[in-house]
Amino acid sequence: DAGVTQSPTHLIKTRGQQVTLRCSPKSGHDTVSWYQQALGQGPQFIFQYYEEEERQRGNFPDRFSGHQFPNYSSELNVNALLLGDSALYLCASSRLRASTGELFFGEGSRLTVL
Amino acid sequence: DAKTTQPPSMDCAEGRAANLPCNHSTISGNEYVYWYRQIHSQGPQYIIHGLKNNETNEMASLIITEDRKSSTLILPHATLRDTAVYYCIVRGNYGGATNKLIFGTGTLLAVQP
């Protein structure tokens, strides 16, 4: 059973460009969340998707947007990249009705903005 | 969700028990204590969670004080592979609908040979 998979694993962009990161949730999971982790910091919640809609959002600007597809996979889009967007982007999946609320994380996509 | 306080780093000898403390003095009655860990260059991994009773699973034990203002994660026989950042997180257990996690900076546990 594959866990949470993310692509690409590493990428380099320049300021002002746009990036799309992808996530496939663990089998049986219907909820996807995205987190940003800057170097030396804990992950910060960006937003959560369920039933193809954004359900919760953290303190991130509108440059950060997402999408969830009917097969529960998800994309994170970041427009007008800034140097400060350089980070590890983590996707986490879960089941809405899970009793434990446990999140399963992928290995992340490391974005470097030059 | 309540704020947590953890020491920034700890050392532990291989084969000994690692006891990682966490303070959560503002925890409310319906909030759970969760522990995750993050090994270098990997995504966070769920370890254990509890409400008020002590909990044990194949990875660790969680001891929550009677007043629930603090807890301790215990790795009974630490190995080098347990070297990681350990995050203590407090949140309401609403299932997946509102299950965002608020991470602090965690405790870097270094297991020494």
Side-chain angles (χ1 to χ4, degrees), chain B:
Chain B
D1 295 324
K3 180 180 171 59
T4 62
T5 303
Q6 299 177 253
S9 63
M10 293 181 64
D11 289 342
C12 177
E14 189 176 20
R16 304 295 295 269
N19 297 281
L20 292 92
C22 179
N23 287 321
H24 31 77
S25 59
T26 61
I27 192 170
S28 61
N30 63 348
E31 289 182 317
Y32 286 68
V33 179
Y34 280 74
W35 284 83
Y36 280 73
R37 73 179 183 183
Q38 187 172 23
I39 296 170
H40 183 62
S41 297
Q42 297 183 20
Q45 175 192 23
Y46 167 83
I47 302 173
I48 198 168
H49 78 285
L51 181 62
K52 56 183 178 180
N53 298 319
N54 297 339
E55 301 288 344
T56 295
N57 62 20
E58 64 277 6
M59 289 182 68
S61 295
L62 174 60
I63 308 299
I64 302 174
T65 58
E66 190 170 348
D67 63 7
R68 302 207 324 119
K69 293 182 184 299
S70 66
S71 60
T72 300
L73 178 74
I74 300 172
L75 307 179
H77 305 287
T79 70
L80 297 178
R81 291 189 296 177
D82 292 321
T83 293
V85 177
Y86 287 77
Y87 295 100
C88 169
I89 301 164
V90 169
R91 74 164 184 84
N93 198 25
Y94 314 122
T98 56
N99 62 355
K100 69 177 182 181
L101 298 175
I102 299 176
F103 289 83
T105 51
T107 296
L108 174 58
L109 174 68
V111 180
Q112 309 291 343

Side-chain angles (χ1 to χ4, degrees), chain A residues 6-20:
Chain A
Q6 294 187 241
S7 64
T9 55
H10 296 80
L11 68 167
I12 299 173
K13 294 285 187 177
T14 57
R15 281 179 296 174
Q17 285 189 312
Q18 178 265 344
V19 68
T20 297

